[in-house]
Amino acid sequence: MSLFDDQLSLFSSSSLSGAADLFWGELEGEDSPLPSPVAETPLVIPQSDFRLMGTRGLATSWKDRARDNIAAIKLLGTLETEDRNATPDEQAVLSRFIGFGAGELANALFPRAGEPYRAG
């Protein structure tokens, strides 16, 4: 006697034993292919040059400028992922990117090797 001789048959001793005799009905259009999933239409924003109206609106503190830089970087990632142009409002956000340079902003965000981050 082998190990497999003692197996239980689920289908021979349960209500599922007559499953082959059950009638599930016919599906409508069995010969027709399944409908294709509905694709979302991509957001199409026409390409346009950014024209600064008024002031650029740069933040006055380095912390706020860093926040504006990070917002612009995140927005650019979104635009690249969605493969689309920026809206005029998004262009205004991108225009506030000033880079990190080598000044106080960069030194505070990116400390030299072995130095701790400054508080705040």
Side-chain angles (χ1 to χ4, degrees):
M1 176 181 256
S2 75
L3 177 65
F4 298 108
D5 290 339
D6 293 334
Q7 288 182 345
L8 296 174
S9 173
L10 176 65
F11 295 105
S12 65
S13 62
S14 70
S15 61
L16 297 175
S17 62
D21 299 330
L22 293 176
F23 178 71
W24 297 100
E26 294 181 18
L27 297 175
E28 290 184 30
E30 284 183 15
D31 295 333
S32 66
L34 294 174
S36 61
V38 177
E40 290 185 30
T41 55
L43 181 61
V44 178
I45 298 169
Q47 185 176 359
S48 63
D49 291 333
F50 176 71
R51 301 220 191 296
L52 182 62
M53 303 294 189
T55 64
R56 192 166 162 198
L58 294 178
T60 55
S61 75
W62 69 265
K63 285 182 185 181
D64 291 335
R65 287 187 180 199
R67 284 188 190 106
D68 287 347
N69 281 348
I70 292 169
I73 292 168
K74 286 180 179 180
L75 174 58
L76 183 60
T78 300
L79 295 172
E80 287 179 344
T81 300
E82 295 176 1
D83 191 28
R84 64 177 179 86
N85 296 318
T87 65
D89 288 338
E90 290 170 333
Q91 287 177 342
V93 171
L94 294 172
S95 76
R96 287 191 281 279
F97 179 82
I98 58 166
F100 293 101
E104 181 184 354
L105 178 59
N107 291 335
L109 288 175
F110 310 108
R112 293 180 190 96
E115 291 182 0
Y117 285 98
R118 290 183 6 190

